[in-house]
Amino acid sequence: CRSDQYIARGWLPSRAPVILGHEVAGVVAEVGGGVHDLAVGDHVTLDPWFPLPAAAAARVDPDAVARTMLDARKEAMFGAQRDGAFAEYLLAPRRQWHRVPATLSWQRAAFVEPIAAALCVAQDPVVQASGHRPRAVIAGSGRIAQLTQRILA
């Protein structure tokens, strides 16, 4: 969706230095104690948004949300505020990982995140309330806008 390019160019705020990459597909290399529904060798994709610790979230200035890429739910993103998928290994809580079929190509598995972003727009209550067939005005022509248009078509 171009976020990595924008972060690298300094157009989107991030921690510096940071390893880019929030569209992820990979193989589980190790699981932590208490994880019983993922195993070494499973193919996975990642929800790149993670909650900030309660203490950090409490200190977030609502006016700084856009500047820090934190949304109203007090979240931040792998590849911006935490090292991302261009690293050799990526450590994330279990709730962030989602198993994908081993037959799904890596490219398509990594595309799960941008498709999910487009689906969020298509499933918005305002869009759904527009009639029998969801309708929306899409401003822009970026990757997410194009995906949203395809989903609504």
Side-chain angles (χ1 to χ4, degrees):
C1 68
R2 298 186 185 144
S3 296
D4 292 329
Q5 294 175 24
Y6 293 169
I7 291 168
R9 292 180 176 143
W11 298 348
L12 287 176
S14 69
R15 187 191 82 207
V18 68
I19 298 173
L20 299 173
H22 68 279
E23 294 158 345
V24 180
V27 176
V28 174
E30 188 175 330
V31 295
V35 175
H36 304 291
D37 57 340
L38 283 179
V40 172
D42 282 350
H43 290 213
V44 291
T45 188
L46 175 79
D47 174 358
W49 292 97
F50 62 91
L52 291 171
R59 293 189 305 264
V60 173
D61 172 4
D63 295 329
V65 169
R67 292 192 309 273
T68 60
M69 286 188 65
L70 301 174
D71 72 5
R73 295 171 298 177
K74 310 296 188 271
E75 295 180 332
M77 188 174 74
F78 282 91
Q81 287 78 32
R82 183 180 287 176
D83 286 339
F86 292 172
E88 186 174 357
Y89 292 96
L90 186 60
L91 176 66
R94 166 61 190 99
R95 68 182 173 273
Q96 304 299 121
W97 296 108
H98 302 280
R99 188 180 297 110
V100 295
T103 56
L104 191 64
S105 73
W106 295 123
Q107 182 179 13
R108 288 186 176 177
F111 216 59
V112 166
E113 190 274 336
I115 290 172
L119 281 170
C120 284
V121 174
Q123 293 174 346
D124 184 276
V126 173
V127 173
Q128 291 298 317
S130 65
H132 296 289
R133 184 171 176 173
R135 295 179 191 198
V137 173
I138 300 170
S141 60
R143 301 284 194 272
I144 302 303
Q146 291 173 10
L147 284 169
T148 303
Q149 184 177 16
R150 291 173 114 180
I151 289 168
L152 292 174

